């Protein structure tokens, strides 16, 4: 592996299975995420540490991701982007919420230098650990010319932040970009860049300063519509709850094109009348909410539901910023 134009890659660790260790060596599934620091992860991959600069931003299971960790990650990425001696950023992360972090960083971009993220399905001390290979692949891709923006590198493929979704809990091909296709593919020792169509993000984003000053996200909840569902959950969410921040946004994963039954439509209209922003997504893995849903109970979002939760929280933050400046 060589440096791209003598530029370094800054590697930021956040935890996940790639940093996980088994609790009982005879039971590979009994492991804890986020046990190793980034130095050990890089050393295990047999990498020459003089080619990289590294920092532990967090050591967590990604299900426990928080706004402060995202803020620290954003700051580290933004700092690395500004340095003339840095060519790329690589983040190690748990697989479970990786697509949310990828989307957040993409939304807060643009990043002219690539921001790659990688992960593993097997812990670091597993005999078939996949983390070291993914890490080496990601560093190789980081050194290839012509790539920018945020991509997830996993199992010899790279996925753009807008498309990537975790689609399997235990399969080696755990991530997919669906119909959009991958952003790069490794055949033998070389990466080939592809150019999947990436829709421009049509939403409000807070300024970096405002994002970094916040101590909490606007509260957004995610509901899935299904055959037996009743509007009771929506009505319950609209009631004030001691100790919980006021509900600001609802992401509703509708059936098919993003449809909901009339009782949900009425409850969502009530939510909107109470000032709650509603975004309609599709519960189909690769489905987008579409206009034929023709329901007057929220805005259609083309994002996956998980990404829409981040997108709506950013949108509400941006609204707060605008009203605080008015
Ligand atoms: N629970 C882990 C995490 O997301 C799963 C993984 O990394 O594969 O942190």
């Amino acid at each position: 592996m060589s440096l791209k134009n003598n530029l370094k890659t800054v590697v930021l660790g956040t935890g996940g299975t790639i940093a996980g260790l088994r609790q009982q060596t005879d039971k590979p599934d009994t492991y804890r995420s986020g046990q190793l620091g980034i130095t050990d992860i890089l050393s295990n991959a047999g990498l020459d540490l003089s080619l990289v600069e590294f920092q532990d931003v967090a050591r967590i299971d990604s299900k426990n991701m928080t706004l402060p960790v995202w803020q620290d990650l954003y700051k580290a990425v933004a700092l690395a982007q500004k340095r003339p001696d840095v060519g790329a950023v690589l983040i190690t992360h748990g697989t479970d919420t990786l697509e949310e972090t990828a989307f957040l960083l993409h939304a807060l971009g643009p990043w002219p230098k690539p921001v790659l993220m990688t992960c593993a399905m097997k812990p670091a001390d597993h005999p078939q650990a996949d983390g070291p290979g993914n890490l080496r692949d990601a560093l190789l891709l980081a050194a290839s010319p012509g790539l920018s923006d945020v991509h997830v590198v996993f199992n010899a493929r790279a996925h753009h932040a807008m498309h990537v979704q975790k689609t399997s809990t235990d399969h080696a091909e755990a991530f997919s970009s669906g119909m959009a296709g991958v952003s790069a593919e490794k055949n033998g020792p070389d990466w080939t860049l592809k150019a999947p169509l990436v829709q421009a993000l049509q939403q409000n984003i807070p300024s970096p300063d405002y994002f970094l000053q916040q101590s909490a996200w606007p509260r957004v909840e995610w509901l899935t519509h299904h055959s037996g569902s009743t509007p009771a959950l929506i009505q319950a969410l609209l009631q004030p709850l001691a100790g919980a921040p006021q509900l600001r946004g609802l992401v509703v994963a509708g059936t098919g094109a993003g449809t909901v039954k009339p009782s949900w439509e009425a409850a969502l209209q009530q939510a909107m009348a109470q000032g709650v922003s509603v975004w309609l997504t599709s519960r189909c893995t690769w489905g987008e909410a579409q206009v034929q849903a023709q329901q007057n109970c929220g805005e259609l979002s083309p994002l996956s539901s998980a990404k829409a939760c981040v997108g709506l929280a950013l949108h509400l933050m941006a609204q707060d910023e605008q009203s605080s400046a008015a």
Side-chain angles (χ1 to χ4, degrees):
M1 186 158 327
S2 62
L3 292 173
K4 177 171 67 172
N5 306 325
N6 286 327
L7 299 178
K8 289 177 201 156
T9 297
V10 169
V11 187
L12 305 169
T14 67
T17 299
I18 194 166
L21 293 176
R22 292 175 292 175
Q23 300 303 292
Q24 288 171 262
T25 40
D26 56 328
K27 293 189 184 147
D29 292 337
T30 60
Y31 74 92
R32 248 187 234 144
S33 285
Q35 302 298 295
L36 295 179
I38 194 65
T39 323
D40 292 326
I41 298 174
L42 288 164
S43 304
N44 285 351
L47 292 163
D48 177 353
L49 297 189
S50 67
L51 300 180
V52 292
E53 242 182 65
F54 39 93
Q55 179 192 337
D56 281 303
V57 173
R59 278 199 210 176
I60 55 171
D61 185 307
S62 74
K63 71 181 162 63
N64 300 324
M65 185 50 75
T66 61
L67 179 59
V69 174
W70 268 341
Q71 288 165 327
D72 287 346
L73 200 53
Y74 172 82
K75 277 190 267 187
V77 170
L79 192 69
Q81 290 276 327
K82 284 194 196 123
R83 283 178 44 187
D85 59 331
V86 169
V89 182
L90 172 58
I91 300 165
T92 58
H93 198 288
T95 58
D96 290 341
T97 63
L98 196 154
E99 65 212 65
E100 289 160 59
T101 303
F103 173 78
L104 175 92
L105 291 173
H106 169 71
L108 294 172
W111 308 114
K113 300 170 187 175
V115 178
L116 304 181
M117 303 184 70
T118 197
C119 53
M121 290 297 276
K122 293 187 168 45
D125 61 349
H126 191 285
Q128 283 99 39
D130 51 337
N134 288 336
L135 202 57
R136 286 192 294 269
D137 284 351
L139 281 168
L140 193 66
L141 183 60
S144 329
L147 195 66
S148 60
D149 213 349
V150 185
H151 305 262
V152 171
V153 180
F154 184 81
N155 203 25
R157 290 186 174 82
H159 305 268
H160 192 278
M162 281 297 281
H163 302 309
V164 67
Q165 290 196 56
K166 183 174 180 183
T167 50
S168 171
T169 50
D170 50 10
H171 197 266
E173 198 61 81
F175 289 88
S176 169
S177 291
M179 264 54 94
V182 298
S183 51
E185 209 163 37
K186 188 165 171 262
N187 297 304
D190 300 315
W191 280 101
T192 308
L193 300 191
K194 310 272 178 186
L197 182 68
V198 178
Q199 307 277 8
L201 208 52
Q202 309 275 2
Q203 69 157 91
N204 289 336
I205 300 292
S207 68
D209 282 351
Y210 192 82
F211 167 72
L212 292 175
Q213 282 157 14
Q214 301 314 298
S215 55
W217 281 116
R219 183 173 157 221
V220 170
E221 303 288 354
W222 168 5
L223 304 174
T224 302
H225 178 252
H226 62 95
S227 307
S229 56
T230 72
L233 194 53
I234 304 169
Q235 286 147 359
L237 282 168
L238 295 179
Q239 301 305 316
L241 189 62
Q246 188 197 346
L247 182 70
R248 302 278 312 280
L250 274 178
V251 169
V252 178
T255 25
T259 57
V260 293
K261 61 190 80 181
S263 58
W264 270 52
E265 199 171 353
L268 292 173
Q269 279 166 358
Q270 190 195 334
M272 288 161 68
Q274 286 184 217
V276 176
S277 295
V278 179
W279 278 14
L280 292 168
T281 58
S282 169
R283 72 175 201 184
C284 300
T285 309
W286 298 114
E288 284 185 13
Q290 288 165 359
V291 276
Q292 63 260 40
Q294 278 186 348
Q295 296 199 294
N296 198 14
C297 57
E299 304 243 341
L300 298 176
S301 169
L303 299 169
S304 73
S305 305
K307 288 176 192 167
C309 290
V310 180
L312 181 50
L314 284 170
H315 169 84
L316 292 165
M317 232 184 222
Q319 270 186 351
D320 293 346
E321 181 176 20
Q322 280 151 15
S323 17
S324 67

